[in-house]
Structure formats: C-alpha cells, structure tokens
Amino acid sequence: MPPFRDDHILIIAPGSQTTLAQLGLPESFPPPKMRIPSRMFPGIEEGTWTFTKVREARDGEKEDLIAQAKGQRAAEAAAARAASQADDAVKDEDKDDGEDDGDDDDGDEDEDMEDGEAKDGSTPSAPGPLTESKDKTEPSPKTEADGDEDMEDDMGEGIYIEDEDDEEGAVWCMKEGRVVDWGCFFALLTYVHEVINPTFHTPILLVHPPEFTLQDKQMVTQFVFEKLKTPGFCLMDSAMTALYAYGLSTSTVIDVGFEKTDITPISDFTIFERARKTLHNCGGQTMTAHLQTLLPDLKPEDVEALKKSPICEILPLGTPLPGSGEAATVRPPHVAATTTDEDRDALISEEEGTVNVAAIVASGKTHEFLAKREKQRTGEAERRLPNRERETNTFWVVDKRRPGEDEDIPLSTSALTSPITTTAPELPAPNAASPTVDDEKRAHQMALAAQTKRGQQEGILLSDDETWRELSVGVERFQAADCGILSTIADGLYDAISRVEDVSKRADLWDSLIILGAGAKIRGFKEALLQTICAKYLIPPSSGTIFSSELPTPTATGASTPMQQSQGQQGPNPLLVAATTHGMHGQSYAERHSSHGQTPLSIKTAKAPEYFSEWKECGFDEAGFLGAQVAAKVVFVIDQGANRGFMSRVEYNELGPEGVSEIF
Amino acid sequence: MSGPSTLPTSQAPSALEYGGDEISALVLDPGQCWTRAGFAGEDTPKTVIPSHYGYVNGGDEGKKYYFGDNDVHALRPGMEIANPMADGIVADWDVAPQLWKYALTSRLTTELSEHPLLITEPVWNTPKNREKTAEIAFEDFDVPAFYLAKSAVCAGFASGKPTALVIDIGASNISVTPIHDGIVLKKGSVRTPLGGDFISNQIRSHFAANGIPLSAHYQVQSKMPVEVGKPAEATLRQFKSGEEPTESWKAFQEERVLTEFKECTAQVWAGPGPVPAQGTEGIGGRTFEFPDGYNLVFGAERFRITEGIFAPRQMLIHGEIPHPDPETTQGFGGMVFSAVRDVDIEIKPHILNNTVVTGSGSLLYGLNDRINNEMANVFPGPRVRLTASGNSTERSYASWLGGSILASLGSFHQLWVSKKEYEEHGPGIVEKRCK
C-alpha cells in the first residue's frame, strides 16, 4: 500500500448538533473547513435521506412552479442532458445548498435556482399561509432531472421542492452523544463523504463521542469500510483528540456539549473508562433554556443569538451584577467627559438638520458616524465601559428575510416589552432624508449599504436575504450559568477524579484540566468554572502539616508503595515556592503529604497549545478537531500503521468489524 | 482473532462454541459495593456502577428506580438509597436484575440476547440464589449461554494462579478461600464481616466519639481555608422545605467522604504486632480536610481505626453505629489459620506460597505489610509468599478480570451452559455444571 498523503486525509467529527469535517491537512492546521448541522430529512422514498428538505409543493407554490417550469422546459431539457449524471447533479446541488447559493459553479443549475428565487421574491402576493411565504423555494433538481417528462402527464401533482429554511421534520441523528437513528447517521456520513468527494486513497479519521459503545464502533467501522470504501480507518475518542491538541499525555478533559458534558480523566494516553462521566442536561442548551426563562419575552432564536454574542458573559464568582448597589457607581468619569473631534463632526451634521449620507458613506467613516450618532442618541458614555460594568448592552440578531415581505420591514423595530428594548439599527433615518420619492429610494439604498457595512465591521456577514436587528438586554445576560451548571460540572469532575483507583495519579489529573466544547464558548465560562471548582474542592495547605513534610514509609509490596517521584525531585523548596507565588487560585502548592494524600492540593487548566496561529484567533473550544488533525497526521502519515494506529483494508478483510476491539 | 481454521467456512459453528476468542461474551461481577461489567477479553471492566440504587416511592406507578453514578448521587427530594446485595450476595431479587441490566446495557450493548454471559458469585452463595441467577440470565436477559464462576477462583486466575489462597477484602467481608487447580476447597473457605463497610463504621465511631463533624460535599457551596481544628467557614447549601435529601441518601454521600478518608488518611499499622497502646505520639500526623474545610491532623488514630481487622476486640464502638460482635468475630489471623488448617498437607505449602491479596479493601495503606507479618506469625514454618498486584485497578477488579480471562479462553467453550440445555434441564443445571 502506498503511503498516505497529508492532503488525502479525511477527518469527520460528528456531534449531536454540528458535524465537522475536513479533507487534507494543510501545513498549519486550520479550524474545520466544513461545518454542517447533524441532521437529515427523510427522503420521498422510504429509507432515503436528503440533506435539504424536500417536500411537496403547496398550493400557492405549485402554480408558480408549473408556470416557471413551462417557460423553462426547453432550456431545462438541454440542461438536464448536459448534466450527464443525474445523481451527481443532485449531489452538487445539495452541496451548494449547504454552503452558499452565490458561488455555484454549475451553470445550469445555478440559473434555475436564481430564477426560482427571483420568481418567489417578486410574488409577494403568494396566497399560501404565513409559514409558507417565508420559505425560499426553488425547483427540486429531482423534478427537473427525471421529472421532466412526468411534468407533462401529471401537472400539479408530485411536485417537490427543496426547502432550505424549513427545519421541520428534520431528524437529528445523535442525541447526547449516542446515535439515535443509525440510518440517518450513515446518511449523514455518506453525505459528508459525497460532498467532499475524496479520492479512493483517502484514509478516514472519525472522532466519536465518548458514549459510543463497542457495538456502535463496530457498526461504524463496517459502514466505513463497506460503503465508503476507505483504505484505512481510525476511530478516536473525542477526549483523546483534545489531548493530542494540547500535546499532553495526562489530563482531565471537560467537554461541554449541547445537552451534556463529558468528563474524561486520561493518564498516559489511557482513558479511565470507569472514571469518565457524562453529565446529562448539562451543556450549552441548558444555559440557553435558562436564559429563556429569564427572558420570556425573547424569541428562542433571539436567545440563541444572545448566548452567542460577546455580551453574554459569565462573571467571576462574587462579582456583583452591574446596577446592583455599589457596582453601578463605579463608572470612570473621564469617559463621559471626553468629546472628540469626530463627535463634534457628528453633532454638526445633526445640527444642520440633514445628513449627507452619500458623503459619509463615501468618506468611509460610516461606522464611526453611526457609532457617534448612536452614542449621541442614547446620550450615554456608558457604551465605552466594558460589558461587565454596564446595566444593559445590545446584541445583534440576524434574520432571514422572508420572500414576500417588504424589504424594509425587517429594518423597523419589533415590539418587545421591558426589560428588552429594541433599537433599530442606527441608520441615517428616512425622516432626515428629503421627502421626494427618488431621494427616499436612494436613502433607503444608502441605508442598506450602511447597514451592511456596519454589519461587516461588527463581524457579521450578511448574505442577500438576511437582515439584522439590534436588541438590548439587561443584566440577565450575565446569568446564563446560574442554572447550577457550574457546580454540576464541578461535582462531576470531583466524582470522576475520585473514581480513579490509583490515588497517586489524581494530583496530576487535577493539574491539567482541559475545558472545551461549544458550550464552554460563552465568555468567562471557563474562568468561572475553574473558580467554582476551586471554591468547593481545592484543599489549601493545612497549617497542620505545612511545616512538617512527612516522609513516605517504605512498604514491601503492593500499590501502597509511594511513588518516589513526588518526593525529593520536586524542584525548588516547597516553602519557597509557596512564599513566592501569589496567584489566588491554581497556585502551585508543591507541598504534598505523600503520594496517597488528599487531592486536589492544586487545580490548574492545561496551557493552550502555542503553535497554531489560526486557532488562537478562534479559541480552543473546538480543540478536539485540531487534535484530530494532529492525530491523523501521526496515525496515517508519520506512523504509517507501524503501531497499528488505524485499521487498514487488509486488516478489516481479515478481522471484520470485531477487529475494532483489537485496534482502537 | 482468526476463527477456527479447521471448520469449513460454510458450516456454522455449533451452538456450544460461543465466546471463545471472540470478544462477544459479557462478564458481570456483582459486588456488595460496586457492580462491574464488561466484555470478556478486555483487561478492565468498561462499566462500574455502584450497587446502591435510589428509589422514590411514587403514587400509582409504584417505586421509581435510579441506577448508576449520576442518578444515585443526584439530589432528588424523597429519594432513598438501598442496596440489593447483603453480605456479598443478592438479597433483593426484584432490584438486582434491573441493576445488572443497567450495568450491561448502559454502555456495553443493547442486545443481551447476542452475548453469552458470565456472572461471578462468592463462594458462600446459596443454591437457591444460583438457580435464580441462571433463571434471570436465561429468561429475563435471554442470553444464548451462561456461566456462574466463583469470584475467588477468578481472582486467582487474574494473578495467573489456579492454585492459591485468595484473600479478598471486599466491602462486606474479608474472605479467605483456598483454591486448588481452579476448584474451591469449600471446607477451608471462611469469611469475616470486617471489610470496607466495617472500616467506614469504625471511622464513624471515631468521629462520633471525638465530636468530629462529618460533612459531605452536597452540603457545601464553597469553603474557606481555616486553621487546623477551627470550625469550618463554608457557605452551605440551603434546601427548601420538602426538598431536603433523605437520611439514607445523606449517609450514602457521607460514605464517599469516608472512602476518601480511607484512601488518603487511614493506615494499617505495619507491625509486627498490634498498634502499641502507648508511645504513639511521635507518629507523623496526616491532615484530612472535610468537604466544608474543617481539617484535622490524625496521628495514631488512623491506625486504630483499622486495627479491628486484626484484633476485633479492639474495635471502636460508639452508640448506635453498627458493628459485629467483638467477642465472637474472628480476626484476620485466626481466619487464615482456620482456612488453611483443613487443607491437605501436601498442597498446603503450595497454597501458602501463592497467597493472593485482592479486593478494593486491600488498598488500605500498609495493609500488605501487616498481612505479611500476621501470616508469618500464624505459619512460622512454611514459606508464605504474598502476591498483590501493584496495579490498584487490577486489585479492585481482580474477580472481574479473572472472569474476563476465563470467558475468553478457547478451552472454556465447553463449559458454557447453553440456552438449549437450560430449557431441557431447568435451573438445576447450574448446580451440576457450574462448580
């Protein structure tokens, strides 16, 4: 077998919410390139699955489609023929749907799609119910490719459309790390494989959640070898990949997921299977649900957006919420006092009564202008304060514009009651523009442009059919973790490490915690978690023994023989260390009673890996995927199977799926 | 892993040829404190859950049961904790099968009917219990094949010794079992209720007698460092009325702190001889911090706590805390002596030379040295050699590991009791086949 190459390696990491995938290992490992929701829709035929929902056209859409189809039939016939393989066309279409409609390189398909969109967009009077009108519809490639002739026969029946926005009826193949629908799961793997469409000489590394049982692993192995026809396959536990990312051999991995948290103590690359723990109802979703109960006025998608926005933050323990007592008075006075030149500019233009939008946009200072204006309007210098000192703050919600809705409707405010107030994006408002129709139109375009620009500066990329609005929220944004999630994880961590039978290994496990997972992305989560753990479990050096270092009693046999390494070669004098380090938590108390003493005497998080510049920017919450790349490189390229890091086709033929237990 | 090559591939293996090299057999080792389960051929059990379970008395639906680490330790109003095992054997046949099923299906497999099942049992298991176990396996779990193995024999196998004196220090008992060529010498097998639970109660007695408050982690929200012996300054969790945990749950949570105490602070006097009554002041103290931050230095006390194993008359007794009768309970030395006394003189040296110490209780710091001394005391003549795995995992799960080795041996094929045989002969077949 020829050796595997970096650019041929396929990594798939299925999760209960998002499935990550990537083909090839670039020089510097990037964040995952492909990111799709872990769900599929049941296809029209029993047992088939599609990534985009395919549903029967409803009454309103039917006529449109038929009319459209008739007009295009001639062109389509040619197109269908041109697309020699109908199946491939479907796949390509699927792929493009998953990403972006804009950069479709399949000319024929693209045309159809855009036509479809245009058609839908220009028929706001579509008589269907509300849910329907919001769907962006397009003719299904299926109907086009093989339903061409059918169209003649049964006009208006059996017309299916692909509905990108409709999530209804979606089957999420995994829940809390366990596959609930294997058909769907395999369809998802197939879909990922088809979209990426790797060469035949592509080994696959699949990162599986800790909950996978031996049986599950066997099924996946069988599927990958027999359906995806890979020459080499490696299954790796998601906790283990985190270890690869951090370059450690011993660690406790805390993976905060969507609905669960996994805690996995690993020592010398060996997972303590019995000690590892899964905490159910303890993840990102738990916090979203809690926020929702705090903010009953917000729509679920708004809450989700709030949680993902940078203003949703978890304050260090004991920090008073802004606006509660003394915290509110702490407000640097100089901020309010300063007025910059730009401020004056903004003021001037305000005083003039009209806003020369074009000039502002042209000057490229739109953002500054908008910011100043906003500041002006709220009349508070508070905006300059860090998030944690402000009573209220704003965040963005990106909405899909629904076809049929007037373009500027989403720009206006939506009615929300206290404590949330909605501010429309700061646009050079229409009232400032002159009343002529022409100007109004121009102003509107300007407004859109300005909005987009600002959005970009805020880091929001909008596609054509999206708008955003700004919502403001009170101190609830600091309370996402008040649902007890932190203490649940802390307790779980303690339980897990206590279950490690080898008492002497516990100290090391406490000393290198890796906190990752999408649920841990909220600002301040990791710090607050670490604090919670320390507050409850850290054992401070006792005044009883700090000055009397006990020597281990040598014993003849057995595990109770203390490990020598923790004595003597501990480095500097423990007392010296204790005296010179002043960190509040995570302080290195080198003092140890002896190897079987009580733990934890110190709790520390592992140091994030340094070499991966692209990951530094986006944070190490998905470090598991980074680790998967490192692992793939080691297993497939460097090791080349010398240590049986993966299962080759030959081995599979020999051992069958049962070989899983031997290799992974 | 390659299958038997003598068989033509077209021919299905006979019904008896289950398991074998293939890693499809399941091994279940139900103990007093932990229930261990995993696939045969692996070196450690994949699933280890507490044998304790939680239950809430519901209205119409009857009791609702909770199994497994997360659920048992979760704080639920009204949840009581109980244990289906007593004295190391099953006492509650309503719950035990559910517990086993949870252990087997939570992380291992969903299809019990596809895997042969090996269950371990202590030597003192009753015939009725054995039949019941087979009945559960075949009728409730619908396994294709089943075997009941003696845990002491398995522990011997785990150390690679078919002939041995197995000293198993479990939660409920310390048992001493001579085995010869994989067969238990029933006459010599003895046990005494001085296991891990006894030590826990000794610690409780010590705390109660000295007014040391025992807190548990569930009570504490955060703690502050305090000087030795000073009252704790912790933020405690407040419970709404009606949501307080039950007494049995509290005791179960306290037990976890006691476990930590046993692991980190308690120690066995190495000997020779018992802990001296006087002159122990100079012994190095060891600090133990309770969950609420209260901490104390334990000196000679931590040896006295464990001394009851060897000298039951010295056991600490306080108030209501249960304890075995100090007068009639046999201490460790006496027990080993009576176990070996009846063994054939010819194999006696062989057995003593292969003394295996196992069980989580044997991880008590310093216990091995003391056992060595005690054995030398009881058997001054013959050479006694102690084998205790240095790997604490192996020691805790020796019985399971032996079962795993046994079930994965090629020669074990013929020992499985198949479903067909069970249907023919009824549960009584276990007495005949699983010796």
Side-chain angles (χ1 to χ4, degrees), chain B residues 106-157:
Chain B
S106 63
R107 306 235 356 217
L108 299 170
T109 178
T110 44
E111 295 294 327
L112 287 180
S113 60
E114 286 174 8
H115 304 274
L117 175 65
L118 182 140
I119 300 185
T120 65
E121 54 161 5
V123 174
W124 58 92
N125 204 5
T126 61
K128 215 177 140 201
N129 258 352
R130 289 159 59 84
E131 288 186 10
K132 185 80 186 165
T133 311
E135 202 182 307
I136 296 290
F138 283 115
E139 286 170 21
D140 285 16
F141 298 170
D142 194 29
V143 297
F146 170 77
Y147 193 78
L148 203 53
K150 297 267 183 277
S151 51
V153 176
C154 291
F157 279 148

Side-chain angles (χ1 to χ4, degrees), chain A residues 365-444:
Chain A
K365 284 188 178 171
T366 326
H367 180 60
E368 287 92 330
F369 170 71
L370 289 173
K372 296 306 160 245
R373 247 188 89 100
E374 195 169 346
K375 204 176 96 183
Q376 203 55 41
R377 218 172 79 150
T378 49
E380 275 189 60
E382 211 192 30
R383 293 211 164 246
R384 291 225 179 147
L385 289 169
N387 179 40
R388 63 179 57 180
E389 286 168 26
R390 290 159 56 175
E391 259 181 74
T392 58
N393 204 343
T394 54
F395 66 101
W396 308 102
V397 182
V398 176
D399 290 322
K400 280 250 180 202
R401 185 178 303 139
R402 293 148 188 180
E405 263 184 52
D406 218 7
E407 290 233 319
D408 52 2
I409 283 178
L411 298 181
S412 65
T413 60
S414 65
L416 282 166
T417 50
S418 179
I420 304 102
T421 54
T422 306
T423 321
E426 290 301 309
L427 302 168
N431 60 356
S434 60
T436 57
V437 181
D438 202 32
D439 273 8
E440 215 167 62
K441 205 173 172 187
R442 216 192 58 185
H444 187 73

Side-chain angles (χ1 to χ4, degrees), chain B residues 213 215 220 223-227 229-236 290-295:
Chain B
S215 59
V220 181
K223 61 182 181 184
M224 295 291 289
V226 290
E227 294 284 303
K230 294 280 177 312
E233 291 171 28
T235 319
L236 294 184
F290 291 88
D292 58 3
Y294 177 71
N295 62 94

Side-chain angles (χ1 to χ4, degrees), chain A residues 433-562:
Chain A
S434 60
T436 57
V437 181
D438 202 32
D439 273 8
E440 215 167 62
K441 205 173 172 187
R442 216 192 58 185
H444 187 73
Q445 278 166 357
M446 286 295 181
L448 278 179
Q451 191 196 28
T452 314
K453 182 140 191 180
R454 180 162 171 199
Q456 278 165 356
Q457 275 158 336
E458 294 279 345
I460 305 167
L461 282 176
L462 293 175
S463 47
D464 292 344
D465 58 341
E466 285 174 335
T467 56
W468 47 254
R469 68 205 143 85
E470 190 177 26
L471 291 178
S472 121
V473 66
V475 290
E476 289 86 357
R477 68 185 190 278
F478 299 118
Q479 296 169 337
D482 285 3
C483 48
I485 182 170
L486 295 177
S487 59
T488 309
I489 297 177
D491 294 348
L493 176 69
Y494 176 79
D495 287 354
I497 296 184
S498 309
R499 288 287 298 276
V500 173
E501 294 98 8
D502 199 336
V503 180
S504 61
K505 286 190 172 144
R506 292 183 188 164
D508 293 338
L509 292 169
W510 281 109
D511 272 347
S512 56
L513 307 178
I514 297 178
I515 305 169
L516 48 78
K521 267 185 185 166
I522 297 182
R523 245 167 98 185
F525 183 89
K526 289 170 198 152
E527 292 76 11
L529 176 60
L530 194 63
Q531 272 191 323
T532 312
I533 297 168
C534 289
K536 192 163 172 187
Y537 290 108
L538 184 71
I539 295 170
S542 163
S543 53
T545 45
I546 192 164
F547 293 113
S548 69
S549 172
E550 187 201 330
L551 286 171
T553 2
T555 43
T557 44
S560 39
T561 307

